[in-house]
């Protein structure tokens, strides 16, 4: 794992750091650590006037906007408690942040994320979030396919399945971008965006 550079126009994209998802048991880091590291990155990006994108997943009360395909693990019929899809307090409250609501795994599919980034001249994204093998990986794949440089802060993401997290970090992410720790990203940010 090594980071080489951060483009002049780089954005932080945090995936699904919302009440219900952060509260789930995750590996190899608890949700609270993922949030704390993402908040540290978000503060550093905001201090340099670089965009912070907060992505959440949400569905209509009737579930009509959920992905309809048949799978072995159906999500239909789940009851979502009030406030389940609200971005955690540690990241919210910054008027300049970009907010994206998704209804699929990837933050690019069916949203205006690509338009929001391109109109700001963004060429690179740094990804964090939960779950590594689902929302983060799907977004990383789409970011790569859209031509963005992708950086993955691997200690600022976690998954319900530790093996799935490791699979993404070890086998998939090296094909999509560069990986490093939160400290690595912060150090590079300080060097390239003084």
């Amino acid at each position: 794992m090594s980071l080489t550079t951060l483009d002049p126009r780089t954005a932080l994209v945090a995936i699904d750091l919302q009440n219900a998802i952060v509260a789930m048991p995750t590996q190899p880091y608890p949700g609270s650590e993922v949030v704390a590291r993402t908040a540290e990155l978000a503060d550093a990006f905001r201090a340099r006037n670089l965009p912070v994108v907060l992505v959440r997943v949400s569905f209509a009360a009737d579930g009509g906007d959920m992905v309809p395909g048949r799978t072995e693990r159906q999500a239909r019929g789940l009851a979502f408690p009030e406030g389940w899809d609200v971005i955690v307090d540690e990241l919210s409250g910054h008027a300049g942040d970009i907010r994206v609501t998704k209804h699929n795994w990837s933050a690019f599919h069916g949203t205006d994320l690509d338009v929001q980034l391109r109109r700001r001249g963004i060429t690179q994204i740094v990804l964090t979030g939960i779950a590594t093998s689902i929302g983060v990986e799907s977004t990383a794949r789409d970011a790569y396919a859209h031509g963005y440089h992708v950086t993955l802060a691997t200690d600022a993401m976690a998954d319900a399945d530790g093996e799935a997290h490791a699979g993404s970090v070890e086998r998939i992410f090296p094909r999509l971008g560069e990986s490093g720790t939160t400290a690595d990203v912060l150090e590079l940010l300080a060097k390239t965006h003084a």
Side-chain angles (χ1 to χ4, degrees), residues 120-133:
R120 289 168 173 82
I122 300 302
T123 58
Q124 182 170 4
I125 64 169
V126 174
L127 279 170
T128 71
I130 300 172
T132 309
S133 67

Side-chain angles (χ1 to χ4, degrees), residues 72-105:
E72 292 181 18
R73 297 175 95 182
Q74 290 291 327
R76 294 213 172 275
L78 294 177
F80 297 108
E82 184 71 30
W84 76 277
D85 56 355
V86 174
I87 298 291
V88 294
D89 289 344
E90 295 89 336
L91 293 170
S92 61
H94 300 273
D97 291 350
I98 301 164
R99 304 242 174 190
V100 172
T101 298
K102 66 185 178 85
H103 307 287
N104 298 282
W105 287 3

Side-chain angles (χ1 to χ4, degrees), residues 3 41 46 72 81-82 97 105 111 125 131 138-139 151 187:
L3 303 182
L41 287 167
R46 291 180 193 118
E72 292 181 18
E82 184 71 30
D97 291 350
W105 287 3
T111 73
I125 64 169
S138 296
T139 302
T151 298
E187 181 181 346

